[in-house]
Amino acid sequence: MERRSRINIIYDILRVIQERVGGIKKTHIMYRANLSHNQMKLYLAELYKKRFIENTDADKPLIKITKKGQDFFRQYAQVKEFEKTFGL
Amino acid sequence: MKIVFTPDWFLGHDVLIDVFSFVILFLFFLFSIKSYKLNKNKRLLYLGIGFLLIALAELSIILTKFAIFYDTTLTSSIGGLIITYQVVSSVDIIYYLSFFFERLFTLSGLYIIYRLPLKKLSGDFVLVSYFIIIASVMCHNFYYIYHLTALIFLGLITRNYIKVYRKNKSANTQIFILAMSLLAISQVMFVLSKVSYFYVTAQIIQLTSYITLLILIIKITKNGKKKQDKHNL
């Protein structure tokens, strides 16, 4: 099986988060995006830093996608479609 | 020697078709570069360069046709036979160079697009570059050599992308194959373009091909949005 690139992992995480409109738990992201615990921690830290994701409430440990994250997800979905079209 | 086969009644229309083609090719270039910046896939960069080269070729032909159109107007307004001859001679070298670069850029761009789906990008670049230059130079005396070379490249591109389609089953790849096949047909018509009817037909087929490419880029953009909407539901 082909190894996922960093950007593809970010795309998969955002996809998983976006699927749950009300927010998603960290453990669910880990399972659904096929990540180890360490990988998840590193990637989530990066996504928080880039403001692609945020917590729904301070008291609830749920994560949701931001507008910036949605824009990135849409742009990357187009890139994937473009690559697929040209077999790249 | 006649260098442009546009019938008088079609002058201007063909430039519009070239401008439209240039815009579409430039859009593909921008999209490829934007994609490359996002995921650093070098093949996307090469694809962008391929489209940019063909776009530059279109730009070159647009400027040349404008120059021809301007010359014709100048000639008719001055009316003198000797002055006409001098005007034509002075710009002859510009026509030669711009047609040379148009052909060189188009064939190089098509070659890059042809190589991309292949697993190994390395090939006989020096040899192919040599033949592309030879074909571009020889086209000055035998215009059909350029169209035949472009036809061969387009045929190879179509064959390669049919293989890609067999793997990915993407409707977008099918659209790209259709666009390339139409461009290949237009090259056959251009070979016969000494008859003005074929020249006009070739231009119309070329326009249809670029409209198909426009549909493709709209579809790619929409598919990205659709994926987002699907996940938002």
Side-chain angles (χ1 to χ4, degrees), chain B residues 86-117:
Chain B
Q86 281 171 345
V87 169
V88 172
S89 310
S90 65
V91 290
D92 212 27
I93 187 77
I94 300 171
Y95 292 157
Y96 177 76
L97 281 176
S98 68
F99 275 102
F100 169 74
F101 282 114
E102 182 237 338
R103 283 146 187 183
L104 184 71
F105 288 162
T106 305
L107 295 178
S108 307
L110 289 176
Y111 178 66
I112 291 174
I113 296 172
Y114 153 69
R115 294 289 311 181
L116 276 174

mmCIF file of all heavy atoms in Angstrom, chain B residues 86-117:
data_model
loop_
_atom_site.group_PDB
_atom_site.id
_atom_site.type_symbol
_atom_site.label_atom_id
_atom_site.label_comp_id
_atom_site.label_asym_id
_atom_site.label_seq_id
_atom_site.Cartn_x
_atom_site.Cartn_y
_atom_site.Cartn_z
ATOM 1 N N GLN B 86 8.169 46.854 -49.147
ATOM 2 C CA GLN B 86 9.119 47.150 -48.066
ATOM 3 C C GLN B 86 8.545 46.792 -46.703
ATOM 4 O O GLN B 86 9.231 46.252 -45.852
ATOM 5 C CB GLN B 86 9.497 48.639 -48.087
ATOM 6 C CG GLN B 86 10.535 48.925 -49.171
ATOM 7 C CD GLN B 86 10.763 50.399 -49.372
ATOM 8 O OE1 GLN B 86 9.968 51.229 -48.918
ATOM 9 N NE2 GLN B 86 11.830 50.725 -50.059
ATOM 10 N N VAL B 87 7.266 47.102 -46.498
ATOM 11 C CA VAL B 87 6.618 46.807 -45.211
ATOM 12 C C VAL B 87 6.638 45.305 -44.958
ATOM 13 O O VAL B 87 7.041 44.834 -43.901
ATOM 14 C CB VAL B 87 5.172 47.348 -45.179
ATOM 15 C CG1 VAL B 87 4.423 46.795 -43.965
ATOM 16 C CG2 VAL B 87 5.169 48.864 -45.134
ATOM 17 N N VAL B 88 6.266 44.551 -46.004
ATOM 18 C CA VAL B 88 6.201 43.094 -45.860
ATOM 19 C C VAL B 88 7.591 42.515 -45.576
ATOM 20 O O VAL B 88 7.774 41.698 -44.700
ATOM 21 C CB VAL B 88 5.552 42.441 -47.109
ATOM 22 C CG1 VAL B 88 5.661 40.929 -47.056
ATOM 23 C CG2 VAL B 88 4.103 42.860 -47.208
ATOM 24 N N SER B 89 8.632 43.048 -46.296
ATOM 25 C CA SER B 89 9.984 42.521 -46.098
ATOM 26 C C SER B 89 10.486 42.791 -44.688
ATOM 27 O O SER B 89 11.111 41.935 -44.077
ATOM 28 C CB SER B 89 10.958 43.166 -47.075
ATOM 29 O OG SER B 89 10.424 43.082 -48.335
ATOM 30 N N SER B 90 10.209 43.990 -44.190
ATOM 31 C CA SER B 90 10.731 44.349 -42.864
ATOM 32 C C SER B 90 10.141 43.501 -41.752
ATOM 33 O O SER B 90 10.805 43.252 -40.758
ATOM 34 C CB SER B 90 10.484 45.835 -42.583
ATOM 35 O OG SER B 90 9.099 46.049 -42.521
ATOM 36 N N VAL B 91 8.915 43.064 -41.910
ATOM 37 C CA VAL B 91 8.316 42.270 -40.837
ATOM 38 C C VAL B 91 8.432 40.769 -41.089
ATOM 39 O O VAL B 91 8.039 39.968 -40.261
ATOM 40 C CB VAL B 91 6.817 42.631 -40.599
ATOM 41 C CG1 VAL B 91 6.683 43.995 -39.986
ATOM 42 C CG2 VAL B 91 6.028 42.488 -41.863
ATOM 43 N N ASP B 92 8.992 40.408 -42.234
ATOM 44 C CA ASP B 92 9.104 38.997 -42.608
ATOM 45 C C ASP B 92 9.850 38.185 -41.550
ATOM 46 O O ASP B 92 9.433 37.096 -41.179
ATOM 47 C CB ASP B 92 9.824 38.899 -43.954
ATOM 48 C CG ASP B 92 9.312 37.713 -44.741
ATOM 49 O OD1 ASP B 92 8.144 37.336 -44.511
ATOM 50 O OD2 ASP B 92 10.073 37.174 -45.555
ATOM 51 N N ILE B 93 10.963 38.753 -41.084
ATOM 52 C CA ILE B 93 11.792 38.064 -40.088
ATOM 53 C C ILE B 93 11.016 37.867 -38.774
ATOM 54 O O ILE B 93 11.125 36.835 -38.122
ATOM 55 C CB ILE B 93 13.147 38.811 -39.872
ATOM 56 C CG1 ILE B 93 14.073 38.003 -38.962
ATOM 57 C CG2 ILE B 93 12.968 40.216 -39.312
ATOM 58 C CD1 ILE B 93 14.733 36.848 -39.663
ATOM 59 N N ILE B 94 10.174 38.865 -38.425
ATOM 60 C CA ILE B 94 9.365 38.763 -37.191
ATOM 61 C C ILE B 94 8.367 37.612 -37.342
ATOM 62 O O ILE B 94 8.182 36.804 -36.441
ATOM 63 C CB ILE B 94 8.639 40.096 -36.895
ATOM 64 C CG1 ILE B 94 9.662 41.211 -36.727
ATOM 65 C CG2 ILE B 94 7.752 39.976 -35.655
ATOM 66 C CD1 ILE B 94 9.084 42.597 -36.636
ATOM 67 N N TYR B 95 7.730 37.541 -38.537
ATOM 68 C CA TYR B 95 6.781 36.444 -38.787
ATOM 69 C C TYR B 95 7.494 35.099 -38.653
ATOM 70 O O TYR B 95 7.004 34.187 -38.020
ATOM 71 C CB TYR B 95 6.195 36.528 -40.209
ATOM 72 C CG TYR B 95 5.292 37.692 -40.427
ATOM 73 C CD1 TYR B 95 5.071 38.196 -41.709
ATOM 74 C CD2 TYR B 95 4.625 38.299 -39.367
ATOM 75 C CE1 TYR B 95 4.239 39.264 -41.929
ATOM 76 C CE2 TYR B 95 3.800 39.370 -39.581
ATOM 77 C CZ TYR B 95 3.605 39.852 -40.857
ATOM 78 O OH TYR B 95 2.785 40.895 -41.071
ATOM 79 N N TYR B 96 8.677 35.037 -39.279
ATOM 80 C CA TYR B 96 9.422 33.780 -39.277
ATOM 81 C C TYR B 96 9.726 33.345 -37.844
ATOM 82 O O TYR B 96 9.479 32.194 -37.469
ATOM 83 C CB TYR B 96 10.712 33.930 -40.083
ATOM 84 C CG TYR B 96 11.550 32.683 -40.051
ATOM 85 C CD1 TYR B 96 11.189 31.577 -40.814
ATOM 86 C CD2 TYR B 96 12.659 32.582 -39.219
ATOM 87 C CE1 TYR B 96 11.929 30.409 -40.756
ATOM 88 C CE2 TYR B 96 13.403 31.422 -39.149
ATOM 89 C CZ TYR B 96 13.032 30.337 -39.926
ATOM 90 O OH TYR B 96 13.764 29.185 -39.855
ATOM 91 N N LEU B 97 10.233 34.312 -37.064
ATOM 92 C CA LEU B 97 10.604 33.986 -35.680
ATOM 93 C C LEU B 97 9.386 33.606 -34.838
ATOM 94 O O LEU B 97 9.417 32.642 -34.086
ATOM 95 C CB LEU B 97 11.322 35.178 -35.033
ATOM 96 C CG LEU B 97 12.788 35.342 -35.415
ATOM 97 C CD1 LEU B 97 13.361 36.598 -34.790
ATOM 98 C CD2 LEU B 97 13.599 34.122 -34.978
ATOM 99 N N SER B 98 8.303 34.389 -34.984
ATOM 100 C CA SER B 98 7.134 34.104 -34.140
ATOM 101 C C SER B 98 6.506 32.761 -34.511
ATOM 102 O O SER B 98 6.075 32.014 -33.629
ATOM 103 C CB SER B 98 6.113 35.237 -34.209
ATOM 104 O OG SER B 98 5.568 35.278 -35.474
ATOM 105 N N PHE B 99 6.489 32.438 -35.813
ATOM 106 C CA PHE B 99 5.953 31.122 -36.201
ATOM 107 C C PHE B 99 6.863 29.998 -35.720
ATOM 108 O O PHE B 99 6.397 28.953 -35.304
ATOM 109 C CB PHE B 99 5.760 31.044 -37.727
ATOM 110 C CG PHE B 99 4.454 31.611 -38.161
ATOM 111 C CD1 PHE B 99 4.371 32.874 -38.721
ATOM 112 C CD2 PHE B 99 3.274 30.911 -37.960
ATOM 113 C CE1 PHE B 99 3.155 33.413 -39.094
ATOM 114 C CE2 PHE B 99 2.050 31.444 -38.331
ATOM 115 C CZ PHE B 99 1.995 32.705 -38.899
ATOM 116 N N PHE B 100 8.177 30.274 -35.766
ATOM 117 C CA PHE B 100 9.129 29.268 -35.287
ATOM 118 C C PHE B 100 8.883 28.980 -33.799
ATOM 119 O O PHE B 100 8.771 27.825 -33.378
ATOM 120 C CB PHE B 100 10.570 29.757 -35.510
ATOM 121 C CG PHE B 100 11.601 28.908 -34.823
ATOM 122 C CD1 PHE B 100 11.928 27.651 -35.320
ATOM 123 C CD2 PHE B 100 12.223 29.351 -33.658
ATOM 124 C CE1 PHE B 100 12.868 26.856 -34.672
ATOM 125 C CE2 PHE B 100 13.164 28.559 -33.009
ATOM 126 C CZ PHE B 100 13.490 27.315 -33.518
ATOM 127 N N PHE B 101 8.765 30.062 -33.005
ATOM 128 C CA PHE B 101 8.568 29.868 -31.563
ATOM 129 C C PHE B 101 7.191 29.270 -31.271
ATOM 130 O O PHE B 101 7.047 28.470 -30.338
ATOM 131 C CB PHE B 101 8.778 31.179 -30.799
ATOM 132 C CG PHE B 101 10.233 31.502 -30.628
ATOM 133 C CD1 PHE B 101 10.796 32.607 -31.241
ATOM 134 C CD2 PHE B 101 11.055 30.672 -29.878
ATOM 135 C CE1 PHE B 101 12.149 32.889 -31.106
ATOM 136 C CE2 PHE B 101 12.418 30.937 -29.743
ATOM 137 C CZ PHE B 101 12.964 32.051 -30.356
ATOM 138 N N GLU B 102 6.192 29.642 -32.062
ATOM 139 C CA GLU B 102 4.851 29.061 -31.868
ATOM 140 C C GLU B 102 4.931 27.542 -31.993
ATOM 141 O O GLU B 102 4.430 26.791 -31.143
ATOM 142 C CB GLU B 102 3.889 29.623 -32.917
ATOM 143 C CG GLU B 102 2.455 29.116 -32.751
ATOM 144 C CD GLU B 102 1.920 28.427 -33.979
ATOM 145 O OE1 GLU B 102 2.438 28.680 -35.081
ATOM 146 O OE2 GLU B 102 0.985 27.616 -33.819
ATOM 147 N N ARG B 103 5.626 27.096 -33.036
ATOM 148 C CA ARG B 103 5.721 25.651 -33.288
ATOM 149 C C ARG B 103 6.607 24.954 -32.262
ATOM 150 O O ARG B 103 6.261 23.890 -31.756
ATOM 151 C CB ARG B 103 6.236 25.428 -34.720
ATOM 152 C CG ARG B 103 5.130 25.666 -35.705
ATOM 153 C CD ARG B 103 5.549 26.243 -36.996
ATOM 154 N NE ARG B 103 4.362 26.565 -37.792
ATOM 155 C CZ ARG B 103 4.397 27.036 -39.010
ATOM 156 N NH1 ARG B 103 5.532 27.275 -39.591
ATOM 157 N NH2 ARG B 103 3.278 27.285 -39.655
ATOM 158 N N LEU B 104 7.701 25.614 -31.952
ATOM 159 C CA LEU B 104 8.641 25.043 -30.974
ATOM 160 C C LEU B 104 7.954 24.876 -29.609
ATOM 161 O O LEU B 104 8.029 23.811 -28.978
ATOM 162 C CB LEU B 104 9.871 25.951 -30.842
ATOM 163 C CG LEU B 104 10.974 25.453 -29.932
ATOM 164 C CD1 LEU B 104 11.690 24.259 -30.560
ATOM 165 C CD2 LEU B 104 11.989 26.560 -29.660
ATOM 166 N N PHE B 105 7.254 25.924 -29.179
ATOM 167 C CA PHE B 105 6.594 25.890 -27.870
ATOM 168 C C PHE B 105 5.443 24.870 -27.853
ATOM 169 O O PHE B 105 5.286 24.119 -26.898
ATOM 170 C CB PHE B 105 6.053 27.274 -27.481
ATOM 171 C CG PHE B 105 7.128 28.268 -27.103
ATOM 172 C CD1 PHE B 105 6.867 29.630 -27.076
ATOM 173 C CD2 PHE B 105 8.405 27.835 -26.765
ATOM 174 C CE1 PHE B 105 7.861 30.547 -26.727
ATOM 175 C CE2 PHE B 105 9.397 28.745 -26.418
ATOM 176 C CZ PHE B 105 9.125 30.099 -26.403
ATOM 177 N N THR B 106 4.656 24.851 -28.919
ATOM 178 C CA THR B 106 3.522 23.919 -28.955
ATOM 179 C C THR B 106 4.019 22.471 -28.889
ATOM 180 O O THR B 106 3.532 21.675 -28.074
ATOM 181 C CB THR B 106 2.675 24.100 -30.239
ATOM 182 O OG1 THR B 106 2.287 25.459 -30.327
ATOM 183 C CG2 THR B 106 1.431 23.233 -30.226
ATOM 184 N N LEU B 107 4.989 22.151 -29.743
ATOM 185 C CA LEU B 107 5.474 20.765 -29.789
ATOM 186 C C LEU B 107 6.146 20.373 -28.469
ATOM 187 O O LEU B 107 5.933 19.259 -27.967
ATOM 188 C CB LEU B 107 6.438 20.566 -30.967
ATOM 189 C CG LEU B 107 5.817 20.727 -32.363
ATOM 190 C CD1 LEU B 107 6.867 20.566 -33.451
ATOM 191 C CD2 LEU B 107 4.670 19.736 -32.589
ATOM 192 N N SER B 108 6.900 21.312 -27.864
ATOM 193 C CA SER B 108 7.554 21.012 -26.581
ATOM 194 C C SER B 108 6.493 20.797 -25.492
ATOM 195 O O SER B 108 6.605 19.861 -24.692
ATOM 196 C CB SER B 108 8.474 22.161 -26.161
ATOM 197 O OG SER B 108 9.365 22.465 -27.176
ATOM 198 N N GLY B 109 5.480 21.667 -25.469
ATOM 199 C CA GLY B 109 4.393 21.537 -24.483
ATOM 200 C C GLY B 109 3.658 20.217 -24.629
ATOM 201 O O GLY B 109 3.394 19.515 -23.641
ATOM 202 N N LEU B 110 3.365 19.844 -25.890
ATOM 203 C CA LEU B 110 2.658 18.578 -26.130
ATOM 204 C C LEU B 110 3.520 17.397 -25.687
ATOM 205 O O LEU B 110 3.010 16.421 -25.122
ATOM 206 C CB LEU B 110 2.295 18.437 -27.614
ATOM 207 C CG LEU B 110 1.187 19.352 -28.129
ATOM 208 C CD1 LEU B 110 1.007 19.183 -29.637
ATOM 209 C CD2 LEU B 110 -0.139 19.075 -27.427
ATOM 210 N N TYR B 111 4.835 17.509 -25.928
ATOM 211 C CA TYR B 111 5.728 16.418 -25.537
ATOM 212 C C TYR B 111 5.718 16.236 -24.017
ATOM 213 O O TYR B 111 5.659 15.106 -23.519
ATOM 214 C CB TYR B 111 7.155 16.679 -26.052
ATOM 215 C CG TYR B 111 8.126 15.595 -25.636
ATOM 216 C CD1 TYR B 111 7.981 14.298 -26.126
ATOM 217 C CD2 TYR B 111 9.161 15.853 -24.749
ATOM 218 C CE1 TYR B 111 8.849 13.292 -25.728
ATOM 219 C CE2 TYR B 111 10.036 14.855 -24.362
ATOM 220 C CZ TYR B 111 9.875 13.573 -24.850
ATOM 221 O OH TYR B 111 10.724 12.575 -24.452
ATOM 222 N N ILE B 112 5.752 17.355 -23.283
ATOM 223 C CA ILE B 112 5.731 17.276 -21.809
ATOM 224 C C ILE B 112 4.434 16.608 -21.350
ATOM 225 O O ILE B 112 4.454 15.700 -20.503
ATOM 226 C CB ILE B 112 5.879 18.689 -21.180
ATOM 227 C CG1 ILE B 112 7.294 19.218 -21.432
ATOM 228 C CG2 ILE B 112 5.589 18.659 -19.677
ATOM 229 C CD1 ILE B 112 7.527 20.652 -21.002
ATOM 230 N N ILE B 113 3.302 17.025 -21.917
ATOM 231 C CA ILE B 113 2.006 16.449 -21.509
ATOM 232 C C ILE B 113 1.957 14.953 -21.855
ATOM 233 O O ILE B 113 1.409 14.150 -21.104
ATOM 234 C CB ILE B 113 0.829 17.229 -22.140
ATOM 235 C CG1 ILE B 113 0.842 18.665 -21.595
ATOM 236 C CG2 ILE B 113 -0.523 16.564 -21.860
ATOM 237 C CD1 ILE B 113 -0.120 19.604 -22.253
ATOM 238 N N TYR B 114 2.587 14.593 -22.979
ATOM 239 C CA TYR B 114 2.636 13.184 -23.378
ATOM 240 C C TYR B 114 3.446 12.357 -22.373
ATOM 241 O O TYR B 114 3.066 11.252 -22.008
ATOM 242 C CB TYR B 114 3.227 13.076 -24.792
ATOM 243 C CG TYR B 114 3.913 11.766 -25.079
ATOM 244 C CD1 TYR B 114 3.163 10.594 -25.195
ATOM 245 C CD2 TYR B 114 5.300 11.684 -25.218
ATOM 246 C CE1 TYR B 114 3.799 9.386 -25.443
ATOM 247 C CE2 TYR B 114 5.934 10.487 -25.466
ATOM 248 C CZ TYR B 114 5.177 9.336 -25.568
ATOM 249 O OH TYR B 114 5.798 8.147 -25.800
ATOM 250 N N ARG B 115 4.583 12.911 -21.893
ATOM 251 C CA ARG B 115 5.466 12.152 -21.002
ATOM 252 C C ARG B 115 4.892 11.955 -19.598
ATOM 253 O O ARG B 115 5.223 10.984 -18.915
ATOM 254 C CB ARG B 115 6.829 12.866 -20.844
ATOM 255 C CG ARG B 115 7.678 12.937 -22.063
ATOM 256 C CD ARG B 115 8.280 11.646 -22.490
ATOM 257 N NE ARG B 115 8.946 10.877 -21.434
ATOM 258 C CZ ARG B 115 9.555 9.726 -21.642
ATOM 259 N NH1 ARG B 115 9.583 9.210 -22.845
ATOM 260 N NH2 ARG B 115 10.120 9.075 -20.659
ATOM 261 N N LEU B 116 4.054 12.920 -19.163
ATOM 262 C CA LEU B 116 3.637 12.932 -17.753
ATOM 263 C C LEU B 116 3.024 11.653 -17.188
ATOM 264 O O LEU B 116 3.395 11.228 -16.098
ATOM 265 C CB LEU B 116 2.688 14.107 -17.511
ATOM 266 C CG LEU B 116 3.392 15.433 -17.236
ATOM 267 C CD1 LEU B 116 2.386 16.542 -17.161
ATOM 268 C CD2 LEU B 116 4.205 15.367 -15.953
ATOM 269 N N PRO B 117 2.063 11.017 -17.854
ATOM 270 C CA PRO B 117 1.474 9.822 -17.237
ATOM 271 C C PRO B 117 2.417 8.632 -17.193
ATOM 272 O O PRO B 117 2.132 7.644 -16.536
ATOM 273 C CB PRO B 117 0.260 9.504 -18.122
ATOM 274 C CG PRO B 117 0.099 10.657 -19.023
ATOM 275 C CD PRO B 117 1.420 11.317 -19.125
#
